Amino acid sequence: AISRDLAPTSAQLLWIIDIYGFLVAGSLLTMGTLGDRIGRRKLMLIGATLFGLASLLAAFATSAEMLIAARALLGVAGATIAPSTLSLLRNMFHDPAQFSVAIGVWVSGFSAGSAIGPLVGGVLLERFWWGSVFLISVPVMVVLLITAPLLLPEYRDPDAGRLDLFSAALSLIAVLAVIYGLKQIAVEGLGWASMLTIVAGLAIGALFVRRQRTLADPLIDMKLFANRAFSGSLAMYMLSVLFAFGIFYFTGQYLQLVAGMSPLQAGLWSLPTAAAFIIGSNLAPRIVRRFRPGRVVAVGLSIAAVGLAMLSQVGVDSLPLLLLGSFVMAVGISPVVTLATDIIVGSAPPEQAGAASGISETSAEFGGALGIAVLGSIGTAVYRNQVAARLPADVPPAAATATRETLGGAVAAAAQLPEPLAATLLGAAREAFVQGLQLSSLIGAVGLAGTAVLVAFLLRSLPTTAEGGEHMESKASEPSLDTAQAA
């Protein structure tokens, strides 16, 4: 619908889709620290106001350029939400057990939103114009602007220094460059341009770290990484997201392009996975009252590895196995997300909770982008190799080229061919795609199993929440040079 109304070029259409995620990832570090300085509730209200206004701009955009600009503003505004809410929770709930429960509810909100969003969007697009999917955000932001001052306490670091704008710019450019390079690898495969972009981003990131060590009021206090709980959980969080969430790149395509579902049907079949996230997120705080977090996370990762191992056995006609494997994976990984966030934010000093929240969410963004780039590239390579060997000889050159690129291209090409050639081509493409899914899932399962072993070692000393917050902080503050360097 956007393509019909605004006539964007292919590059503009990609930017309409991608610019939001890029700006969210690039702005999280700055927004987390800014909340510590100007007030976390204040930052969230500013972000909500900007989000509402940018939603209006996007809904009534009259050109592709206008929509891209609106999506960029939405990304900057969206980056204020997670750090602000997480850091506010850190100051609202001082009891470790209560804080864990709050984080579980917080993760449940994201899980529920990820399930509800596509369904609401699908219903709106069936009945209204495309701008309605942006317009629906406005009343939500209005409710937030009215209720937040009444319900939420304000908190800011009374001793915070000035925000170093140059550091903020360095962090934005570094994150954007690395995320963009990873995205290009996922789309186009490994190439010099994407690798140089990543290397440039890493170099700018190194400059950012060096600058933080010399500033009196750094954007990020690098001493946080000497905390075993903080750095170990951060590494575990990124690796878990890398191996687990990278598979979502395949499951969504399977539902629509292999099983032949509409977007709305695929969204409905994704609800059990979202429900598993909600259940696991809320069970985790109860479990860590009796068992040490390191053990709980290691077991959760092991369960998630079993789920991915099940996905490695999925065939073209294995929808029940795909749904069951995804459910098991979500049951295992949801406590990991909750407890990693809990430990990362909870192990930082209260006055640095915003910065810690921004670091936590940035690590998740990196893990997701890296997972899609690595597992997506592996799956794509398998697909292209297998489909080239399976293509019928009498397929027209244009259709063969489209089929070799992606499964979506194969579906579009098959729609233009007569039967039974179309069915033969589509069967070959779907079989090749499933083989890519199988290998990527197997790699993810091995990766999660390895991460479980790493976690059992790094977080073995963390106490249960029933053993008290002071004990937890004293244990968590033991420095670990290896984990700090790894982070």
Side-chain angles (χ1 to χ4, degrees):
I2 290 174
S3 296
R4 182 182 63 247
D5 290 351
L6 302 184
T9 64
S10 58
Q12 287 175 331
L13 192 59
L14 285 175
W15 279 112
I16 290 171
I17 297 169
D18 292 338
I19 192 66
Y20 177 85
F22 288 156
L23 267 296
V24 166
S27 304
L28 282 168
L29 290 176
T30 299
M31 293 304 176
T33 305
L34 184 61
D36 291 338
R37 284 166 165 76
I38 70 172
R40 294 156 185 175
R41 186 183 69 182
K42 181 179 181 180
L43 177 65
M44 186 174 67
L45 294 176
I46 292 172
T49 302
L50 179 59
F51 200 95
L53 294 174
S55 297
L56 286 171
L57 184 66
F60 297 103
T62 56
S63 67
E65 293 83 358
M66 185 176 175
L67 184 55
I68 292 171
R71 289 276 290 165
L73 291 175
L74 284 169
V76 174
T80 68
I81 302 299
S84 296
T85 51
L86 273 177
S87 53
L88 280 172
L89 291 178
R90 178 71 170 90
N91 292 98
M92 291 166 63
F93 300 98
H94 298 282
D95 178 80
Q98 290 185 344
F99 181 63
S100 295
V101 172
I103 294 297
V105 175
W106 184 87
V107 173
S108 297
F110 271 87
S111 302
S114 68
I116 295 171
L119 298 180
V120 172
V123 171
L124 289 173
L125 286 174
E126 287 182 356
R127 290 168 172 78
F128 305 100
W129 98 113
W130 60 263
S132 62
V133 300
F134 296 106
L135 205 58
I136 194 66
S137 301
V138 176
V140 179
M141 294 300 108
V142 171
V143 170
L144 177 59
L145 290 170
I146 294 172
T147 57
L150 301 175
L151 299 176
L152 298 177
E154 179 60 287
Y155 182 87
R156 61 183 294 269
D157 182 4
D159 299 319
R162 297 181 60 185
L163 182 70
D164 183 48
L165 295 179
F166 186 59
S167 292
L170 286 176
S171 70
L172 175 65
I173 295 171
V175 174
L176 284 179
V178 175
I179 295 288
Y180 179 78
L182 292 173
K183 176 81 174 180
Q184 290 302 106
I185 291 176
V187 174
E188 301 177 358
L190 196 63
W192 283 109
S194 56
M195 291 301 299
L196 288 175
T197 303
I198 293 173
V199 170
L202 293 175
I204 296 171
L207 180 62
F208 168 81
V209 171
R210 183 176 180 181
R211 182 174 177 82
Q212 302 318 292
R213 297 183 183 277
T214 62
L215 292 175
D217 298 306
L219 194 69
I220 295 175
D221 185 358
M222 302 308 295
K223 294 178 182 178
L224 285 172
F225 293 96
N227 182 318
R228 173 180 292 179
F230 183 89
S231 57
S233 298
L234 201 63
M236 173 263 291
Y237 192 16
M238 186 176 71
L239 288 173
S240 301
V241 171
L242 189 163
F243 293 117
F245 287 80
I247 296 300
F248 288 134
Y249 175 82
F250 298 94
T251 55
Q253 293 186 71
Y254 186 99
L255 292 175
Q256 294 187 55
L257 301 178
V258 177
M261 297 182 184
S262 69
L264 187 58
Q265 290 173 324
L268 288 171
W269 279 108
S270 299
L271 288 178
T273 300
F277 267 100
I278 294 172
I279 294 169
S281 299
N282 287 281
L283 282 178
R286 298 176 182 272
I287 298 173
V288 292
R289 293 176 186 174
R290 298 185 58 186
F291 302 97
R292 290 178 178 267
R295 294 181 181 178
V296 176
V297 171
V299 171
L301 288 170
S302 300
I303 294 173
V306 171
L308 289 184
M310 294 170 67
L311 292 179
S312 70
Q313 303 303 309
V314 165
V316 173
D317 298 316
S318 302
L319 178 60
L321 182 58
L322 178 94
L323 297 175
L324 180 60
S326 299
F327 183 86
V328 172
M329 188 272 289
V331 168
I333 207 68
S334 53
V336 177
V337 175
T338 299
L339 296 178
T341 305
D342 181 355
I343 297 168
I344 292 168
V345 179
S347 60
E351 64 273 11
Q352 296 181 1
S357 302
I359 295 171
S360 172
E361 293 306 296
T362 302
S363 72
E365 293 287 343
F366 272 125
L370 191 58
I372 291 175
V374 174
L375 298 182
S377 296
I378 291 172
T380 299
V382 172
Y383 169 82
R384 289 175 177 171
N385 179 66
Q386 292 297 316
V387 82
R390 297 169 181 268
L391 271 178
D394 51 347
V395 172
T401 300
T403 300
R404 291 190 191 97
E405 287 298 315
T406 63
L407 178 59
V411 172
Q416 307 299 319
L417 298 177
E419 294 291 350
L421 182 60
T424 304
L425 181 144
L426 202 53
R430 286 171 171 167
E431 184 62 39
F433 175 83
V434 164
Q435 291 195 13
L437 165 63
Q438 291 171 349
L439 179 59
S440 298
S441 299
L442 184 60
I443 293 172
V446 173
L448 287 182
T451 306
V453 175
L454 180 67
V455 166
F457 171 74
L458 290 178
L459 304 182
R460 65 188 184 280
S461 62
L462 285 180
T464 66
T465 54
E467 292 173 333
E470 292 182 1
H471 179 55
M472 179 183 71
E473 290 181 5
S474 66
K475 286 285 187 181
S477 61
E478 296 176 2
S480 171
L481 181 61
D482 291 339
T483 53
Q485 289 177 337

